[in-house]
Amino acid sequence: MSQPAKPAPPAGRANAKKELSEHFKQYKHVWVFVEQERGHVHPVSWELMGSGRRLADKLGVELAAVVIGPAGEATSAAAAESFCYGADLAYIVADDVLTDYRNESYTKALTDLVNTYKPEILLLGATTLGRDLAGAVATTLLTGLTADCTELEVDADNSLAATRPTFGGSLLCTIYTLNFRPQMATVRPRVMEMPERVEKPVGRIIEFPLGMVEDDIVTKILAFVPDRDKATSNLAYADIVVAGGMGLNSLENFQLVRQLAGVLGAEYGCSRPLVQKGWVSADRQIGQTGKTIRPKLYIAAGISGAIQHRVGVDGADLIVAINTDKNAPIFDFAHLAIVTDAIRLLPALTEAFRKRLS
Ligand code: FAD
């Protein structure tokens, strides 16, 4: 996508701009924060590594992974894995104080690293952890952060053009961090494509001390209680997703979506109004303010296809839409359009697949 022209600075600020560009020369390379919790790396980290690699190649600089976690194998393994997804080097801050995510310790680790090695671009996943960390790091460093980007580019003067939806998703805006470094951005899971994993020997590793002890941290972790629903819901990464919208008319009818998903071994999701009605948990919402999905097959039943829903499903390989209205917006982007009553079709589909797959 071609980027809109950036505003020129007022003439009186030309000298300041020159000083700034001298200052910016200290900042080099693209960094990706590798999010890991209890030995599990969030796949958004590797998706960002793909974007980071592309930006680094355009800028002619290195791509670095930043791995923060407890001392031990899981943290080293995450760093080693980052090379398979394109990192040239990995910064590791390993300390048992970092076993579980806490804003204070992770913010210190990341801001100290940035202040020492000065990256020009820093990318994080727009996950619960990533959003919390990115905001704290950006405010501590006094730099700009563009959240929930859908596109990242490098423009003619090598600055980061971070594009994200605005005005309720009806427009896209491109945001620049003109006066501060690093340029920070978060991207939601599944928005960027997963790069191919290529087996590679371990690259350069730079270890960095945390410089903090447990007593310095106000927040204490008393227990770790896994989120049971989260453990079973894999909506963003599912191969098949069946979703329902207001066309289903009731919570009872929404069970038809769950039944079809069950037979197909799929995840189920919904449009936003169903969450607002309290019929389905927010974790299942698909779209701009919900999850972005990239399944091989997406079946949308009784969903109109508003732009805020569409942005969450555009990456699906095959979109099958069931809607009674032949002019519903979802038919503008669905690959297969079925104009019928979803409440009647869903049970028939479930039955047909049950017979076929049993
Ligand atoms: P409706 O718009 O009411 O559409 C129902 C559809 O069902 C219609 O097309 C109708 O023809 C069809 N229908 C009716 N009966 C049947 C039947 N028996 N069988 C088959 N079809 C039938 N929405 C999201 O989904 N995700 C988001 O993340 C999201 N974020 C938003 C963020 C903002 C800032 C705003 C302002 C809005 C957001 N929305 C989001 C809401 C979005 O604008 C739409 O209002 C919403 O997606 C509509 O949901 P729906 O298609 O289920 O309902």
Side-chain angles (χ1 to χ4, degrees):
M1 185 180 108
S2 68
Q3 302 300 335
K6 273 186 300 188
R13 287 169 59 194
N15 279 347
K17 185 152 192 263
K18 216 167 157 194
E19 273 173 36
L20 259 187
S21 83
E22 277 306 304
H23 173 66
F24 286 173
K25 283 186 186 151
Q26 298 173 49
Y27 291 83
K28 221 174 167 187
H29 308 303
V30 178
W31 286 12
V32 172
F33 171 71
V34 175
E35 177 177 331
Q36 58 142 350
E37 272 187 298
R38 302 200 158 229
H40 171 75
V41 175
H42 197 299
V44 72
S45 313
W46 309 141
E47 291 159 17
L48 283 179
M49 207 62 85
S51 307
R53 181 72 268 163
R54 198 173 43 79
L55 298 177
D57 289 345
K58 278 196 177 169
L59 290 165
V61 298
E62 288 188 315
L63 172 66
V66 178
V67 186
I68 300 175
E73 198 160 314
T75 304
S76 319
E81 190 67 3
S82 71
F83 299 116
C84 302
Y85 286 98
D88 299 305
L89 75 156
Y91 294 97
I92 299 183
V93 188
D95 192 306
D96 286 343
V97 163
L98 299 162
T99 297
D100 285 306
Y101 174 74
R102 281 175 291 177
N103 184 280
E104 298 137 289
S105 48
Y106 272 63
T107 299
K108 174 162 170 43
L110 193 48
T111 51
D112 283 358
L113 261 181
V114 167
N115 284 327
T116 307
Y117 294 103
K118 299 187 174 14
E120 56 193 300
I121 293 174
L122 171 57
L123 307 177
L124 298 92
T127 58
T128 308
L129 188 160
R131 285 185 166 133
D132 188 63
L133 179 61
V137 168
T139 46
T140 309
L141 293 170
L142 298 178
T143 191
L145 163 66
T146 308
D148 289 356
C149 298
T150 50
E151 232 180 290
L152 297 171
E153 265 310 329
V154 167
D155 80 355
D157 73 353
N158 282 351
S159 50
L160 178 70
T163 301
R164 56 152 298 152
T166 187
F167 287 109
S170 52
L171 289 176
L172 289 176
C173 64
T174 299
I175 297 175
Y176 295 87
T177 299
L178 294 177
N179 297 327
F180 301 96
R181 289 291 181 273
Q183 304 157 96
M184 289 181 63
T186 62
V187 178
R188 293 193 317 173
R190 291 304 244 172
V191 169
M192 301 298 178
E193 247 177 81
M194 178 66 82
E196 199 185 325
R197 184 186 182 282
V198 179
E199 200 63 53
K200 256 172 75 182
V202 171
R204 266 161 48 229
I205 287 186
I206 297 173
E207 291 184 12
F208 191 81
L210 173 63
M212 192 179 217
V213 293
E214 184 58 43
D215 285 349
D216 299 329
I217 307 175
V218 178
T219 315
K220 300 295 171 199
I221 295 185
L222 304 180
F224 180 81
V225 184
D227 178 342
R228 255 189 292 147
D229 193 39
K230 223 173 167 183
T232 51
S233 153
N234 185 29
L235 190 55
Y237 290 90
D239 278 343
I240 307 177
V241 174
V242 185
M246 284 309 285
L248 295 178
N249 224 4
S250 69
L251 174 57
E252 197 190 354
N253 288 336
F254 185 76
Q255 302 315 313
L256 303 173
V257 164
R258 296 189 63 168
Q259 285 158 9
L260 178 57
V263 168
L264 292 174
E267 287 287 346
Y268 70 90
C270 66
S271 61
R272 183 160 93 155
L274 276 65
V275 173
Q276 289 169 326
K277 280 192 173 291
W279 293 352
V280 187
S281 72
D283 200 36
R284 300 278 178 179
Q285 182 186 318
I286 298 167
Q288 186 196 323
T289 43
K291 295 263 164 67
T292 300
I293 60 171
R294 278 178 178 272
K296 294 192 172 105
L297 171 64
Y298 176 52
I299 302 176
I303 293 180
S304 59
I307 180 70
Q308 295 90 354
H309 187 83
R310 179 178 181 165
V311 294
V313 304
D314 258 346
D317 290 342
L318 178 66
I319 300 174
V320 178
I322 310 165
N323 200 303
T324 43
D325 176 5
K326 67 175 174 30
N327 296 315
I330 197 156
F331 291 146
D332 295 341
F333 58 93
H335 303 101
L336 191 62
I338 307 178
V339 183
T340 193
D341 179 356
I343 300 163
R344 289 180 54 216
L345 182 64
L346 285 173
L349 282 179
T350 305
E351 205 35 48
F353 280 117
R354 184 173 284 131
K355 281 191 189 139
R356 193 106 188 123
L357 300 174
S358 63

